[in-house]
Every structure is written in structure tokens, then in C-alpha cells.
């Protein structure tokens, strides 16, 4: 949450910073601000609202400066308003900061600083941090780098920060703990950002700071140190693996729609080089290299948040059915605080699109300390979770910008399906013949997803009939229960229609009370538990509920009674979550568009939740 950008070099910093903030807006969009640094003066603009509002109020700004930092905010401390927007100045006006994260002990520090005569204009923890840096600097006569280091050693919490001192206006000091920070390496110019998207058009080389590291960046170079002991660190320069066009809308109205339509490719990319049906093989080094440890374990624990947690639930169904290894699926935020039993023999699969979700990261660290083996499934290459995992598989879905996760979800399920198949082969649960058959079936997924995407117009029309709905129920059984959960989550995230996902059979234990002519029920009625789902559809119809059913070709029973049917290709049940998710994504998308909602930036949400 919150995006930060910085630039020092030979270009006009304004353009780099404002365009960079626009790319990072998926991280937060309550307010935005920037400061340009020129001739030892700060030219600052900040405002409640979006980066476009910041651009608007910056029209009169002198834009010749070649150094600047900026911020797009997802509020934690203090309501989103102009005053609470970043950057924040220190009391003397000599230091300026942008910050992503939370300073947990800010209240004690604020009290101490207030006693020393400091005053605060905002409600933010960030203003406390910049004044702590100033206090350290003034009381011990320190350079800005040392003052930042001393201050960071006093704070508890999470941060990625950029700090500039007017008196040393040739450098930006940055630091990281818990919140991501990347440095783009140019020639006599450097970029700073919460992820590489703001600078990928300028350089393909990036250094990702590790937790507990800081850097002093001048036009001449980058000096990385450990915050704890000032030890110099040799920065590891990584090659960026994506291009600018991957993070632009490419003619689509929204990133979400683009990402939904990218799924045939993203699923193919996720399977590429791994699913080798002609050789009768799944090639996943992470699983193969650690197969002995995995097979010896008594259980797998899947940890995730949000949509990734739904992928985890599908993973549970897949691994238990295909490999017969017991699986538990945990919300990271619950797992980390409920004193769970963790055995050193446990395998923990951590699923995260961003690889930065604070609760997932903390849960993994806890499991790791207890001796469990951590297998990361992340989309963002080089992300924190990917780095602390013992092994793992990237999803290769490409950058996902829309806040509501779509292609990352189907890529996660694709990886989990391949893992389940490979483990099934290793445990001997799947015969060679069955394994091979499943590979061939799975290989067809991208084409089948293409077929589903052709239903776009049809789904748009169905959405029209329900745009004024206030509630919606999603039902599914077996593999498609998590799909129902995910369908409901997508709808509420972007259209603000209240939606609940339920196992179809559980409808009788509560949600049935809600059913009347005003309640649309989306029900997954593809093969697998079909007869039972037909009964559920009848129960809904006899209470006048409206039914939108996902069905397979040849269906007659559901067609005869449902209000709308969306026909998707018939696939083996273990592959059905991927296929059946796509129409639900489209339905949510069109409902949100029809209701005039901001699809890519739904209110109050952020793509990457780096605070707990
Ligand atoms: C946020 C996002 C969701 C995402 C969840 C977990 O809530 O809005 O789309 O599923 O975080 O994020 P992760 O990056 O760990 O998958």
C-alpha cells in the first residue's frame, strides 16, 4: 500500500515522478504528492485525490529540477486529506520524506519529540519519523545518511522511505523494512520506486533492497548499507523481465478487462516449459528437487490472503484428490496470531501475487522459524516472499495492475494443478496412464479459456439485467465452491454489490432465507455434482430467486429452469475452476462498469497490502 517514487539524474524529475506515481496508483489512491529539489529549495505539491489531481495542481510548478520524490497514498494513520498527504516536512523545513508502511511506536516517539518542543501538523506516523530523523541529526550533528540510520534503528514497524535534506541536496536516502523498494540503475541517474514499473521504460537493471537495508543515492552511484550496523552491502543488480507494453492498457478500457483477456496467454506462460505432455512429464524444479522432503511430510499447509487464499482452497482439493496428501488452508492473518501447531516436517505453500503481503510474509517467517519448509508461489519476481521461500514456482502471469486479481488467480491455480499432478505421480496415486491423460487435458486449457472469452458480449447483456441488484449469492460444490467464493469476492470488490459465496449444499443452512425475486444467485452447474446442483437450482427457483447458471454443452435440466445460462466448455472436474472462474470475472467487470464504479481502483482497496 502506498507507492513511492524518486529520481535523481539528468532528466526533468517531475515527469519521471508523476508518471511513476500514475503507474503505482494501484497501490493506493487516496491522495498524492511530490517534491522537486532544486538549488536547495523544495517545490512541493500535495493533495487529497488521485495522481491526476496532483498533475492538475502542479501545472504552475517550475519543472526544471532533476531530483524529486513522490507518493501515492493508501491511508493508515489519519484521514485522506491535503495535510496528511505525503511528502512531509520536518519542523525546520529542511528535511522531507515520503513513506510507505506503518511506524508502530510512533505514539511514544511523538510524545518524546513533543516534550523536546517539536510540533506536528498532520495525524501521520510519517511526520513523526521525519522529525525523529531531524532530532537525531541536530542533537548529534549527523549527516543525513547517519541520521536516517540512527532513527530507523529506533522505530518499530514497516517502512520504505525516501528522505532528502536541503543541506545535502545532492542525495536521496532510502531505507526498507517490510515494504518493498527497488532502485533502477541508469547511467548517472537513478530511479527509486515501490516496484519497477515506474522505471522499466528507462532501465532494465534494478536493485531490490532487502529488509533492513538502506541506500544513499547520488548521481554518482548507490551506497547500500545494513541499517543495524552500517555494514556495506554489494548490491545485487537484477535484470527486469517485463516491458512497458505489459503495464499499459493496450486499447482496453480497463486493466482488469485486459488482464481477463490475457488469460489464455498467461496460463500458457505459466505452463510453458513445465507441462510437457509429449514427454509425459511435469518439469518443476522446485518440486522435483525437494520431492523427498515433500513426500516425507505428513501434511501441507497453504497460507495466503484474499484471492490467493481462494486459489489455496482449490489447491487443497487438487492435492488431496490427486496426490492424497493432507492439506490445510489458512488465512495468513489468522495463522500467525493463533499459535498454530507447526511441525518441522510440515510443508508450507505460500501463495501471493505480489509476494509482499504483510500477513503472508509474517506467517511464513513464523513457519520457517518452526522449521517448516516454505514453498512460494508468487507472481512478482524477486518479491519478498519469493526470496525468503526455500523453493518455489513463479506464476509467470506478467504484471497485474488491476486491483481485482484475475490472471494471477488462474495462474496460481495452474501452478497448483501442476504441483498436484506431479505429487500424484510421485506418490503413485496417479498411474502413468492417468497422469499422461491429465497432462493432455490440461494442455488444452488456454484454447478452452479463449472459447469462454468469446462469451463476453453475452455476459455483458446478462449483467444489464442485474445492475441494480443490492445482494448476490454465489454457489458451487466441490472444486467450484472456492470458485463461488472468488466470484463473490470479485463482485463486491469492484461493483460494491454485497455478495456471498457458499457451498451449494450449505444454502439450506442460512442463505436460503434471503432468496426472493430480488436475489440473483450465480450457481456453478457444470459436470461434477451436477444432479445435486440441479436440486439446488430447483430450490432457488421455487422461492422465486433469479438464477444465472454456468453450464456445460448439452445441459438440459438447468437450462429448463434457470433465468440465464452461460455455457462453458466441458473439462475434467479438476480443471473446471480455471474455466468456470472466467465468466464470473466478466460478470463482475460488466456489473461494475454498468454501475459506474472505478474498476481498476475500487474504493478503499489496494493491490498490495503491505500493512497488517
Ligand atoms: C489485496 C488485493 C487482492 C489480493 C490480496 C492478497 O487484498 O486487493 O487482490 O488477493 O491482497 O495479495 P497477494 O499479493 O498476497 O496475492
Amino acid at each position: 500500500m502506498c507507492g513511492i517514487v524518486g529520481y535523481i539524474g539528468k532528466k526533468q524529475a517531475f515527469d519521471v515522478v508523476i508518471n511513476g506515481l500514475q503507474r503505482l496508483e494501484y497501490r493506493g489512491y487516496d491522495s498524492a504528492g511530490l517534491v522537486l529539489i532544486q538549488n536547495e529549495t523544495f517545490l512541493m505539491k500535495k493533495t487529497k485525490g488521485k495522481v491526476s489531481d496532483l498533475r492538475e495542481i502542479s501545472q504552475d510548478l517550475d519543472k526544471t529540477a532533476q531530483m524529486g520524490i513522490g507518493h501515492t497514498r493508501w491511508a493508515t494513520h489519519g484521514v485522506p486529506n491535503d495535510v496528511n498527504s505525503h511528502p512531509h516536512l520536518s519542523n525546520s523545513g529542511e528535511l522531507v520524506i515520503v513513506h510507505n508502511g506503518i511506524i508502530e511506536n510512533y505514539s511514544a516517539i511523538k510524545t518524546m519529540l513533543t516534550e523536546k518542543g517539536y510540533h506536528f501538523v498532520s495525524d501521520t506516523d510519517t511526520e513523526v519519523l521525519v522529525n525523529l530523523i531531524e532530532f537525531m541529526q541536530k542533537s548529534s550533528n549527523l549527516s543525513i545518511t547517519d541520521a536516517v540510520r540512527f532513527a530507523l534503528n529506533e522505530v518499530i514497524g514497516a517502512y520504505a522511505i525516501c528522505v532528502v535534506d536541503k543541506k545535502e541536496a545532492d542525495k536521496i536516502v532510502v531505507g526498507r523494512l517490510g515494504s518493498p523498494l527497488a532502485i533502477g540503475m541508469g547511467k548517472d541517474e537513478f530511479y527509486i520506486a515501490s516496484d519497477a514499473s515506474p522505471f522499466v521504460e528507462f532501465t532494465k537493471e534494478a536493485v531490490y533492497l532487502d529488509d533492513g537495508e538502506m541506500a544513499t543515492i547520488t548521481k554518482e552511484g548507490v551506497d547500500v548499507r545494513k541499517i543495524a550496523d552500517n555494514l556495506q552491502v554489494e548490491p545485487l543488480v537484477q535484470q527486469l523481465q517485463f516491458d512497458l507494453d505489459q503495464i499499459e492498457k493496450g486499447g482496453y478500457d480497463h486493466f482488469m478487462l485486459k488482464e481477463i483477456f490475457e488469460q489464455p496467454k498467461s496460463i500458457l506462460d505459466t505452463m510453458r516449459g513445465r507441462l510437457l505432455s509429449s514427454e509425459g512429464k511435469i518439469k518443476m524444479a522446485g518440486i522435483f528437487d525437494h520431492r523427498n522432503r515433500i513426500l516425507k511430510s505428513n501434511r501441507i499447509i497453504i497460507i495466503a490472503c484474499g484471492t490467493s487464499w481462494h486459489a489455496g482452497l482449490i489447491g487443497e482439493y487438487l492435492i488431496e484428490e490427486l496426490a492424497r496428501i493432507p492439506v490445510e488452508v489458512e488465512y495468513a492473518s489468522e495463522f500467525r496470531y493463533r499459535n498454530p501447531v507447526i511441525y518441522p516436517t510440515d510443508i508450507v505453500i505460500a501463495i501471493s501475487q505480489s509476494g509482499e503481503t504483510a500477513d503472508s510474509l509474517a506467517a511464513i517467517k513464523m513457519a520457517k522459524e518452526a522449521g517448516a519448509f516454505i514453498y512460494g508461489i508468487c507472481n512478482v519476481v524477486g518479491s519478498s516472499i519469493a526470496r525468503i521461500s526455500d523453493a518455489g514456482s513463479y506464476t509467470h502471469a506478467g504484471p497485474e495492475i488491476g486491483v481485482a486479481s484475475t490472471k494471477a488467480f488462474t495462474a496460481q491455480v495452474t501452478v497448483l494443478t501442476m504441483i498436484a499432478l506431479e505429487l500424484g505421480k510421485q506418490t503413485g496415486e496417479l498411474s502413468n496412464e492417468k497422469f499422461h491423460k491429465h497432462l493432455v487435458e490440461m494442455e488444452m486449457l488456454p484454447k478452452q479459456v479463449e472459447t469462454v472469452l468469446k462469451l463476453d458480449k453475452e455476459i455483458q447483456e446478462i449483467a444489464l439485467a442485474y445492475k441494480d441488484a443490492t445482494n448476490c449469492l454465489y454457489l458451487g460444490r466441490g472444486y467450484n465452491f472456492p470458485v463461488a467464493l472468488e466470484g463473490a469476492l470479485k463482485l463486491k470488490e469492484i461493483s460494491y454489490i454485497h455478495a456471498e459465496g457458499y457451498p451449494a449444499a450449505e444454502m439450506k443452512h442460512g442463505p436460503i432465507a434471503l432468496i426472493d425475486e430480488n436475489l440473483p444467485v450465480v450457481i456453478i452447474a457444470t459436470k461434477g455434482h451436477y444432479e445435486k446442483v440441479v436440486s439446488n437450482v430447483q430450490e432457488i427457483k421455487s422461492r422465486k430467486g433469479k438464477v444465472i447458471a454456468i453450464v456445460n454443452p448439452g445441459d438440459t435440466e438447468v437450462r429448463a429452469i434457470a433465468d440465464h445460462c452461460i455455457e462453458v466448455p466441458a473439462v475434467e472436474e479438476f480443471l473446471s475452476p480455471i474455466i468456470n472462474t472466467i465468466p464470473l470475472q466478466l460478470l463482475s467487470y460488466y456489473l461494475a462498469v454498468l454501475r459506474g464504479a472505478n474498476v481498476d481502483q475500487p474504493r478503499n482497496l489496494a493491490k498490495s497490502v503491505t500493512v497488517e
Side-chain angles (χ1 to χ4, degrees), residues 587-601:
L587 187 64
S588 306
Y589 172 78
Y590 285 115
L591 279 166
V593 170
L594 286 165
R595 291 163 70 93
N598 185 340
V599 172
D600 283 334
Q601 293 168 357

Side-chain angles (χ1 to χ4, degrees), residues 466 520-521 523 537 540-541 545-549 558 561-565:
Y466 298 100
V521 182
I523 186 158
V537 177
I540 301 160
K541 281 317 294 176
K546 295 274 182 288
V547 172
I548 305 161
V558 174
I561 46 176
D563 297 85
H564 305 275
C565 283

Side-chain angles (χ1 to χ4, degrees), residues 163-212:
V163 182
V164 176
D165 180 352
K166 254 184 204 172
K167 307 178 295 303
E168 299 179 56
D170 61 337
K171 58 183 69 106
I172 302 175
V173 182
V174 301
R176 157 190 179 152
L177 184 71
S179 302
L181 198 77
I183 303 171
M185 311 293 280
K187 189 170 170 347
D188 304 326
E189 58 179 353
F190 297 93
Y191 308 83
I192 301 148
S194 301
D195 70 39
S197 60
F199 56 74
V200 69
E201 66 185 287
F202 305 116
T203 175
K204 285 277 183 299
E205 296 197 329
V207 168
Y208 292 91
L209 283 194
D210 267 328
D211 269 349

Side-chain angles (χ1 to χ4, degrees), residues 318 321-322 417 421 438 441-442 479 572-577:
L318 285 163
E321 182 180 334
L322 298 171
T417 309
L421 287 171
H438 285 340
E441 289 156 354
M442 191 168 179
Y479 282 108
E572 285 302 311
E573 208 189 341
F574 77 98
L575 296 170
S576 66

Side-chain angles (χ1 to χ4, degrees), residues 253-433:
D253 288 345
H254 296 97
F255 280 112
M256 183 180 176
L257 190 62
K258 176 185 174 228
E259 288 157 4
I260 290 173
F261 274 85
E262 276 173 354
Q263 289 175 109
K265 180 172 182 301
S266 53
I267 292 168
L268 187 66
D269 288 344
T270 302
M271 298 192 309
R272 197 187 305 281
R274 291 169 167 167
L275 187 100
L276 307 171
S277 75
S278 56
E279 296 172 37
K281 251 202 232 163
I282 283 183
K283 208 167 141 193
M284 294 177 96
I287 296 293
F288 190 78
D289 295 349
H290 302 280
R291 62 191 182 285
N292 291 338
R293 171 124 196 217
I294 299 173
L295 296 178
K296 256 197 253 143
S297 73
N298 295 320
R299 63 169 177 177
I300 292 173
I301 305 172
I302 298 181
I303 293 177
C305 300
T307 287
S308 300
W309 185 79
H310 294 156
L313 280 184
I314 297 170
E316 175 185 24
Y317 284 63
L318 285 163
I319 296 171
E320 292 209 339
E321 182 180 334
L322 298 171
R324 309 301 299 156
I325 301 173
V327 179
E328 288 165 27
V329 188
E330 299 268 1
Y331 281 119
S333 54
E334 288 298 315
F335 184 77
R336 63 181 287 204
Y337 285 120
R338 72 169 176 79
N339 198 12
V341 177
I342 308 169
Y343 300 113
T345 50
D346 284 338
I347 305 295
V348 168
I349 298 183
I351 309 175
S352 174
Q353 187 286 127
S354 63
E356 302 293 346
T357 302
D359 280 321
S360 300
L361 200 51
I364 295 165
K365 285 183 183 158
M366 195 173 99
K368 206 172 170 153
E369 271 162 31
F373 180 82
I374 315 293
Y375 196 92
I377 299 179
C378 298
N379 193 40
V380 177
V381 176
S383 55
S384 302
I385 294 177
R387 280 186 291 165
I388 69 162
S389 296
D390 298 304
S393 306
Y394 283 116
T395 40
H396 297 314
E400 188 179 67
I401 313 287
V403 167
S405 183
T406 53
K407 64 173 181 171
F409 173 74
T410 48
Q412 289 165 344
V413 179
T414 303
V415 166
L416 288 161
T417 309
M418 289 189 290
I419 290 177
L421 287 171
E422 176 61 12
L423 291 178
K425 189 179 148 200
Q426 297 287 344
T427 55
E429 279 301 321
L430 291 177
S431 64
N432 274 345
E433 192 190 348

Side-chain angles (χ1 to χ4, degrees), residues 525 530 551-560 567-570:
Y530 178 74
V551 297
N552 283 149
D555 177 283
T556 49
E557 289 182 65
V558 174
R559 258 189 199 281
E567 190 179 287
V568 300

